Amino acid sequence: MSFLLSLEEAVKQGNRNSAVSSVEDALSAKLPPQDILDALVKGMDDVGRRFKANAIFVPEVLIAARAMKESMAILEPVLVAAGIQPEYTAVIGTVTGDLHDIGKNLVGMMWRGANFKVIDLGTNVPPEKFAEAVVTHKPDIVGLSALLTTTMPNMKITVEAIRKTSDSRVKIVLGGAPVTQDYADEIGADGYASDAASAVDLVRKLIAS
Ligand code: B1M
């Protein structure tokens, strides 16, 4: 099997040792860093597809994301030296009052796996901190997560705070167990995703539109 195929397979299986040694082998063989990155992203795309189809669950996604992360730690300096940067930036956080972060972290990992630069603001993030991050980082996407029916209304004030910045280009997407597409429409967000893999499809679609 070629180094790139074995890398893709290692990410799909969440085998971090094999993923790391495949990246090292591919770099030693002087394969283009972009091709190595593409193999990693293909592996994570497959993980996302299987997660969406309920063929695998949260632990398998976390293990695959760890294999991706450790591979990226080796590949990233090479990509930077070659002038290859993620094309798109996303800011993500759980809205104010809400401390749940497992789903938000999964979405962040899947976005990284899709080769987005992800700035994670953490949990309990006030609207003004999201707005500040939009001004500072000029992201393409802002992702808001909420797990409580009592913190869902904080998504509305966060969307309003972001819309008040001068950045009219940024797309705002929502997710979390109590959130729905209707709610996203009602508060003027650009999209809603029910799970982490759909969140990748959604942001790719929004960026392409
Ligand atoms: Co909390 N909690 N919790 N909790 N907790 C829930 C959410 C609850 C449903 C449990 C219950 O009562 N059955 C309930 C909410 C009820 C409601 O609002 N209607 C609840 C409550 C009430 C509370 C407290 C108020 C309890 C208390 O103190 N009395 C308190 C609130 C604290 C606070 O936030 N201020 C609280 C605290 C906690 C812990 C700290 C103990 C812990 C959080 C640990 C952590 O996150 N680091 C916790 C947990 C673990 C849960 C449950 C059990 C699991 C949540 C989870 O991580 N799911 C949850 C019950 C349940 O869901 N079974 C519950 C796994 C995760 C992968 O799924 O987060 O849904 P999820 O993410 C999915 C999608 O929703 C989506 O993709 C993810 C993966 O596919 N998604 C996005 C999420 N964010 C997205 C963003 C996107 C797109 C998709 O775009 C940006």
Side-chain angles (χ1 to χ4, degrees):
M1 205 190 294
S2 80
F3 298 136
L4 295 181
L5 275 179
S6 59
L7 175 57
E8 189 184 326
E9 202 49 42
V11 173
K12 286 181 191 172
Q13 303 301 328
N15 185 335
R16 61 182 162 152
N17 293 333
S18 167
V20 164
S21 62
S22 299
V23 172
E24 286 166 347
D25 289 344
L27 287 172
S28 303
K30 304 253 175 290
L31 294 183
Q34 180 69 55
D35 291 1
I36 304 173
L37 177 65
D38 290 347
L40 284 167
V41 173
K42 256 169 103 177
M44 275 310 281
D45 273 352
D46 180 79
V47 170
R49 268 193 298 276
R50 284 182 293 140
F51 178 60
K52 213 155 88 174
N54 290 325
I56 55 170
F57 300 98
V58 172
E60 288 95 330
V61 178
L62 292 177
I63 290 167
R66 188 178 58 181
M68 170 100 191
K69 191 175 168 200
E70 291 189 10
S71 304
M72 279 305 287
I74 300 166
L75 186 60
E76 206 157 355
V78 184
L79 290 168
V80 171
I84 301 167
Q85 306 271 8
E87 225 178 316
Y88 301 109
T89 300
V91 162
I92 192 166
T94 305
V95 295
T96 190
D98 200 321
L99 300 175
H100 295 86
D101 68 356
I102 299 170
K104 182 265 298 169
N105 291 346
L106 267 182
V107 174
M109 282 173 198
M110 295 299 289
W111 282 351
R112 283 196 185 96
N115 196 28
F116 279 66
K117 177 180 174 191
V118 177
I119 294 145
D120 189 339
L121 302 179
T123 59
N124 191 21
V125 182
E128 55 277 18
K129 197 164 168 206
F130 277 106
E132 254 171 58
V134 166
V135 174
T136 308
H137 301 290
K138 300 182 178 42
D140 303 278
I141 300 287
V142 178
L144 311 181
S145 181
L147 261 287
L148 298 171
T149 44
T150 49
T151 56
M152 249 174 76
N154 298 335
M155 290 181 140
K156 182 170 189 286
I157 56 174
T158 306
V159 169
E160 286 164 2
I162 295 169
R163 298 291 187 218
K164 276 194 200 135
T165 66
S166 53
D167 193 334
S168 55
R169 190 190 54 97
V170 67
K171 305 283 187 202
I172 306 173
V173 301
L174 312 183
V179 184
T180 61
Q181 179 66 57
D182 283 351
Y183 184 67
D185 294 342
E186 187 189 314
I187 67 170
D190 297 291
Y192 156 79
S194 60
D195 59 71
S198 307
V200 173
D201 299 341
L202 172 67
V203 297
R204 281 180 172 155
K205 198 173 97 199
L206 286 172
I207 278 169
S209 66

